[in-house]
Amino acid sequence: MSGYLTGVLVTLSFNIIAAYAVYLPIAAGQLNLGIAGFMAIGAYAAAFLTNEMSWPIWAAVLVSAGLAGSVGLMIGLPVLRTHGIYLAMATFALGQVISAVFLNLEVVGGAAGYPVAAYAPPNIVFAAAAGVVGFMLLLSTTRFALYLTAVKSDPTVADLLGVSVRGIQAAAFTLGAMVAGFGGALYAHHYSFIEAQHFNVMLSVFPVLYVLFGGTQTVLGPLVGALFFTLAPEWLRASAEWRYALFALFIILFMAARPQGLVTMSLFRLFGRRKPQVTT
Amino acid sequence: MALLQVSDLTVSYGRVTALSGLSLTLEEGQIFTVLGANGAGKSTLLRAILGAVPARAGSVAFAGADVTRMPPHERVARGIVLVPEGRRILISLTVEENLRLGAHLRNDQPAIRREMDAIYDRFSNLAQRRHMLASCLSGGEQQMLAIGRAMMARPRLMMLDEPSLGLAPLFVSKVFDLIRELNRDGLSVLLVEQNAGKALAVAHRATVLELGRATMTGDPKLLAADPRLQEAYLGEGAKAPAA
C-alpha cells in the first residue's frame, strides 16, 4: 500500500470513529458540538498512561475511552437538562473548556504539545475503525436502538410508554463520549504528538457534517458521510485550488435538495426489500 | 381491594391547578369512564396516574401499593398503561417495532411473540403492514396499533385518552367493541372520552370532572339520565352521536 493511500485510509478511519461519536447522541435527538473535548480527554489520558506509567497501548486506549465516557456521563447529566440550541451551545462551550484545560496543563506539555512515545501502526487504526463500525451495527440490532429512535422521534410518548428518556439520552451521550475518547486515544498513538490546538471547533463540527450528510436515520449514514467527506476532496485534487469551492457548493446544493441526508430508511426499502408487501 | 385508588390528588402546572383534591376508586375488572369539558383535567388525571406529571398533594395507590412517587416506567412495570390522546404512534418505526416498544419492560420473548401474533390475529390490517412504517396506517389503524402497543406491556389497567377522537364512525364503534372485549378478558379500563353516550354505555362506573373536581360520580345509567349531564355532554334530548 502506498504511503499516500495509507495516509488517506488512516484519516478515513479517524473520521469514521468521530462520525459515530457524534451519531450516538444525534440518534437520541441531541447534538453534541463538543466532541473534540472528549477526543482530547482520550488522547491526553492515553498518552499519559503509556508515557509516564508505561502501560501497554491497548490498555491505555480502553481505559482512556472509559474515562472520556465517565466524564461524558458526569457532565452529561446536568448538561442534558438543556435542549435544542441550548444543548448545542452548552456542549460547544464544553469542548472549548476541555481543550483550554489541556492547553494549560503543564504535566502534559501545555501549549508546547505532548510527544507520545508508543506507536500504533495503521493496521491497528483500521482494525479500531472496523471495530467501531461493527459495534454500531451490533448496537443497531438491539432494543437500545429502538429506544433511541423512540426518544428521538417522540420523547413524550417514549416517557408514557415507560422508556426512561433521560436514561437513554445520558447513555447515548456517554457512549458517544466513549467512542470519541477511543478515537482520540488512538490518534495520539498513531501521530505520536498531540497539542491542545488540534482539538478545536472544526474537529467538533466536521463529524456533525459527516453525520448530517450521510443521514441520521440509519446506522450506515455516518459511515457513508465520513467516506464521502474524506475521499471526495482527494478525488477533486486534480482541479487544484477550486476544489474546495466546488465541493462546498455541492454540499450546499445537496443539503438543500435532500435535508434528510444520503442514506435513509426509504432508500433501504427501495433496494433491500426482503419479501413483497401486500397492499390491499 | 380496589385496583386503583386515587385520593385527594392535586396537580398543578405552575400556578394553574389542573386537579384539586380528586378522589376515585376503580375496582378490578371495571370500565370507569371520566367525562368532562376541555380543560377539566381529564388528561392530567391520566398522566398523574402514570406519573408523567407529579402530584402536588394526595396519593395514587395501585394494586395495594403506593405508587405516588414512582417514575412512569415503574408504574408501567406494575401494569398501568396509557394510550395517549392523538394515538402518538412512532411513525418512523414499523408497525412491529411499535408493538415491540410496548413490550420493552418485559424479557419473556416467547410470550411476547405469542401476544404479538394474537394482536395480528385481532387486527388483520396490522398483520399485513407489520414491516411497513406506521406512517402508512390510517387513523383508525393507528388507534388499533396504539391499543395493541399498550397491550404488549401486559397491563392490568389500561387508560385511554379520547380513543375515538377524529376517527371515522366505523372505527369509533370498533374501538368501543374492542374496549368491551378487552374488559371481558379481564382488563380494567379507565376511559376518558368526549363521546359521552358511547362511553357511558360501556362503563360500569363514571364520573364527571369540572375544573379539576369530580362533580358527579356513580352508575353510568343514572348519570346518563341526569338532566344536567344531558344538557352539558349529550346534547338536549340525549341525541348522542351514533350512540
Side-chain angles (χ1 to χ4, degrees):
Chain A
M1 208 184 298
S2 75
Y4 166 73
L5 186 61
T6 307
V8 170
L9 289 180
V10 165
T11 308
L12 174 65
S13 299
F14 283 119
N15 287 347
I16 289 170
I17 296 173
Y20 280 110
V22 169
Y23 170 74
L24 274 160
I26 284 184
Q30 296 166 320
L31 184 56
N32 182 351
L33 270 184
I35 214 75
F38 295 102
M39 292 180 190
I41 292 173
Y44 276 99
F48 185 82
L49 287 173
T50 54
N51 274 356
E52 321 290 335
M53 321 288 279
S54 311
W55 281 36
I57 293 182
W58 65 268
V61 168
L62 290 183
V63 167
S64 306
L67 183 73
S70 316
V71 174
L73 181 63
M74 278 189 302
I75 297 176
L77 285 179
V79 165
L80 290 177
R81 298 187 76 92
T82 61
H83 299 283
I85 188 75
Y86 301 102
L87 176 68
M89 292 305 292
T91 53
F92 179 82
L94 180 66
Q96 297 298 294
V97 168
I98 293 174
S99 99
V101 166
F102 285 114
L103 189 63
N104 293 292
L105 211 57
E106 287 305 326
V107 66
V108 286
Y114 193 46
V116 187
Y119 176 69
N123 285 341
I124 298 290
V125 178
F126 301 154
V132 168
V133 175
F135 170 74
M136 292 301 303
L137 287 175
L138 206 66
L139 200 67
S140 73
T141 64
T142 65
R143 290 186 191 188
F144 182 68
L146 200 58
Y147 302 161
L148 285 178
T149 314
V151 166
K152 180 189 179 189
S153 41
D154 194 339
T156 311
V157 88
D159 186 42
L160 295 179
L161 290 175
V163 176
S164 170
V165 174
R166 285 205 65 197
I168 296 293
Q169 289 178 335
F173 193 84
T174 302
L175 270 178
M178 216 152 126
V179 172
F182 178 74
L186 266 178
Y187 174 92
H189 288 92
H190 180 74
Y191 290 109
S192 305
F193 181 76
I194 44 176
E195 53 180 346
Q197 294 91 323
H198 171 74
F199 301 97
N200 60 16
V201 181
M202 291 327 251
L203 193 66
S204 288
V205 171
F206 271 117
V208 176
L209 191 55
Y210 307 159
V211 174
L212 295 184
F213 181 87
T216 58
Q217 290 180 6
T218 73
V219 71
L220 289 178
L223 179 65
V224 172
L227 271 165
F228 179 81
F229 271 90
T230 314
L231 301 182
E234 299 299 327
W235 288 327
L236 291 170
R237 210 172 267 283
S239 59
E241 63 263 40
W242 281 100
R243 68 179 169 135
Y244 285 115
L246 288 173
F247 188 56
L249 191 67
F250 169 76
I251 302 299
I252 292 168
L253 292 176
F254 178 86
M255 291 315 282
R258 197 172 165 82
Q260 68 272 43
L262 188 59
V263 189
T264 59
M265 278 188 292
S266 43
L267 200 71
F268 267 104
R269 268 159 235 282
L270 207 58
F271 292 108
R273 181 155 298 178
R274 269 163 292 172
K275 47 189 160 187
Q277 302 286 338
V278 186
T279 47
T280 46
Chain B
M1 184 187 46
L3 180 65
L4 177 74
Q5 180 79 56
V6 176
S7 315
D8 296 320
L9 188 66
T10 298
V11 175
S12 37
Y13 301 106
R15 261 187 268 165
V16 182
T17 303
L19 285 181
S20 48
L22 185 94
S23 298
L24 68 83
T25 305
L26 188 151
E27 302 292 338
E28 180 118 52
Q30 269 189 342
I31 299 178
F32 192 118
T33 288
V34 179
L35 300 177
N38 284 332
K42 304 182 303 286
S43 296
T44 301
L45 171 65
L46 299 192
R47 283 167 174 258
I49 292 171
L50 192 74
V53 292
R56 171 159 289 188
S59 67
V60 178
F62 183 74
D66 184 2
V67 300
T68 316
R69 302 278 158 237
M70 281 183 192
H73 62 95
E74 283 181 38
R75 303 193 203 201
V76 174
R78 281 167 185 264
I80 308 180
V81 292
L82 172 61
V83 180
E85 185 178 349
R87 306 176 272 280
R88 301 297 279 266
I89 286 303
L90 293 164
I91 54 169
S92 54
L93 295 178
T94 65
V95 168
E96 182 140 328
E97 284 169 334
N98 268 284
L99 290 177
R100 209 162 267 292
L101 202 58
H104 78 279
L105 291 172
R106 299 169 49 189
N107 276 312
D108 43 344
Q109 289 307 327
I112 291 176
R113 188 69 252 171
R114 223 170 26 245
E115 285 163 39
M116 205 180 279
D117 288 341
I119 286 172
Y120 286 142
D121 283 345
R122 208 189 277 262
F123 309 116
S124 56
N125 287 354
L126 297 186
Q128 287 164 358
R129 292 168 169 74
R130 65 170 77 181
H131 296 298
M132 292 169 77
L133 290 182
S135 54
C136 305
L137 301 179
S138 74
E141 290 166 344
Q142 287 192 6
Q143 186 63 63
M144 297 302 160
L145 179 57
I147 294 173
R149 181 176 68 181
M151 289 300 298
M152 291 304 296
R154 204 181 253 181
R156 287 178 73 184
L157 170 66
M158 182 181 287
M159 304 190 288
L160 298 110
D161 196 348
E162 310 264 9
S164 75
L165 193 71
L167 294 188
L170 175 69
F171 269 109
V172 172
S173 299
K174 272 193 179 177
V175 165
F176 282 100
D177 289 347
L178 178 61
I179 290 170
R180 260 204 204 89
E181 272 174 46
L182 294 176
N183 176 251
R184 213 172 294 141
D185 296 344
L187 186 68
S188 309
V189 175
L190 183 56
L191 175 64
V192 160
E193 254 297 335
Q194 297 272 4
N195 193 334
K198 285 209 178 235
L200 288 175
V202 297
H204 300 107
R205 201 170 166 77
T207 193
V208 178
L209 282 193
E210 275 174 41
L211 297 173
R213 291 170 208 276
T215 51
M216 287 184 266
T217 304
D219 185 328
K221 286 190 193 67
L222 295 179
L223 283 184
D226 189 293
R228 285 169 298 169
L229 194 85
Q230 289 198 344
E231 198 183 326
Y233 303 109
L234 299 171
E236 70 274 47
K239 276 190 291 176

